[in-house]
């Protein structure tokens, strides 16, 4: 099958899964913003997306997309390094001339930071919420009380710093991945190439800011719901 065996096919899979994950992040970011205005409203969403069958199915689907995206990223990186052979260091010369973005050169490193941050996020929230509800391993905080879990997590300065680093890496990763995915899918000619890059930077910046604002608001207890 060409989606698996060919280089172009693998890039298409990377692009489609990447776009799907960006759409999920958009939903997740909008959902998190609700916590800034209403504790009850946010917890209502958390309860709706708790250990229900549709939420579990969606979670498994997202996990599959993430795993496919990560696996294909490693495959393409290894393939590109093998193809370049001893000429791989010529990339640095091109980068220094301004023709290749820093994020493009360091996508693997950025991807690794994103994966580590994702695992941290899953531990702090998914493990303590959906997984705990499925397994019945209740702690002092109700698994459905997402607002309390946000307060608990970002009361720690260490987690705040780690999340900011993660979100910064995610910004670099997505700003490159956004236009790269559209280019792979053939949606960027000479005119639209720069336009998509500009649109991608604006879109991803707003998306990441949605997450950063929530982290900082709870870190400094400035969310209206915290009665600051």
């Amino acid at each position: 099958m060409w989606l698996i065996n060919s280089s172009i096919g693998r890039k298409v899979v990377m692009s489609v899964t990447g776009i799907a994950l960006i759409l999920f992040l958009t939903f997740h970011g909008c959902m998190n913003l609700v916590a800034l205005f209403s504790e009850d409203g946010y917890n209502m969403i958390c309860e709706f997306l708790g250990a229900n069958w549709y939420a579990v199915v969606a979670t498994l689907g997202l996990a599959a997309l993430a795993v496919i995206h990560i696996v294909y990223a490693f495959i393409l990186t290894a393939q590109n390094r093998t193809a370049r052979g001893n000429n791989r260091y010529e990339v640095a010369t091109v980068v220094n001339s301004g023709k290749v973005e820093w994020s493009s050169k360091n996508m693997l490193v950025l991807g690794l930071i994103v994966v580590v941050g994702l695992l941290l996020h899953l531990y702090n929230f998914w493990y303590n919420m959906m997984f705990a509800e499925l397994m019945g391993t209740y702690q002092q905080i109700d698994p459905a009380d997402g607002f309390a879990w946000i307060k608990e997590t970002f009361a720690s300065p260490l987690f705040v710093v780690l999340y900011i680093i993660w979100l910064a890496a995610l910004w670099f990763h997505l700003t490159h991945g956004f236009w790269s995915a559209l280019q792979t899918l053939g949606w960027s000619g000479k005119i639209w190439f720069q336009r998509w890059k500009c649109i991608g930077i604006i879109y991803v910046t707003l998306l990441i800011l949605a997450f950063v604002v929530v982290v900082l608001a709870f870190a400094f207890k400035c969310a209206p719901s915290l009665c600051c």
Side-chain angles (χ1 to χ4, degrees):
M1 186 176 181
W2 71 277
L3 285 175
I4 299 174
N5 298 324
S6 71
S7 176
I8 295 178
R10 296 188 188 106
K11 289 180 180 179
V12 169
V13 172
M14 277 278 293
S15 299
V16 172
T17 54
I19 291 173
L21 291 171
I22 289 176
L23 291 175
F24 167 71
L25 286 174
T26 301
F27 164 76
H28 196 358
C30 293
M31 169 185 164
N32 285 356
L33 289 176
V34 176
L36 297 179
F37 305 99
S38 172
E39 177 178 352
D40 292 337
Y42 183 74
N43 283 340
M44 188 189 317
I45 297 174
C46 290
E47 186 175 356
F48 177 74
L49 298 175
N52 302 299
W53 69 268
Y54 47 83
V56 174
V57 170
T59 299
L60 292 175
L62 284 168
L65 287 173
V67 169
I68 292 171
H69 190 78
I70 293 168
V71 169
Y72 271 65
F74 278 103
I75 292 174
L76 286 170
T77 300
Q79 176 182 303
N80 292 336
R81 285 178 175 271
T82 301
R84 287 198 300 265
N86 294 329
N87 296 324
R88 70 183 60 174
Y89 297 106
E90 291 181 0
V91 176
T93 302
V94 178
V95 172
N96 292 334
S97 68
K99 295 180 181 179
V100 176
E101 297 176 341
W102 178 88
S103 57
S104 177
K105 179 186 175 185
N106 296 280
M107 282 296 278
L108 180 61
V109 175
L110 290 170
L112 290 173
I113 296 175
V114 170
V115 170
V116 172
L118 176 61
L119 293 175
L120 174 66
H121 185 63
L122 288 174
Y123 170 75
N124 283 330
F125 293 98
W126 179 81
Y127 175 77
N128 288 313
M129 295 177 69
M130 179 181 284
F131 182 81
E133 189 173 348
L134 287 171
M135 297 293 104
T137 55
Y138 293 90
Q139 302 183 36
Q140 292 182 344
I141 301 176
D142 188 332
D145 193 350
F147 190 88
W149 281 112
I150 296 179
K151 287 173 57 179
E152 175 76 12
T153 301
F154 299 125
S156 167
L158 176 60
F159 282 141
V160 172
V161 172
L162 291 177
Y163 267 80
I164 295 300
I165 293 173
W166 175 42
L167 291 170
L170 192 58
W171 183 88
F172 281 107
H173 190 78
L174 294 182
T175 50
H176 172 78
F178 185 93
W179 64 260
S180 180
L182 295 178
Q183 185 180 45
T184 297
L185 296 174
W187 294 347
S188 59
K190 292 182 179 179
I191 296 177
W192 274 94
F193 179 73
Q194 292 300 327
R195 291 179 181 177
W196 279 125
K197 290 184 71 173
C198 182
I199 293 171
I201 290 173
I202 295 173
Y203 185 89
V204 171
T205 299
L206 292 175
L207 174 60
I208 296 302
L209 280 176
F211 288 94
V212 171
V213 166
V214 173
V215 172
L216 295 180
F218 279 83
F220 294 102
K221 296 180 175 61
C222 292
S225 299
L226 297 178
C227 301
C228 177

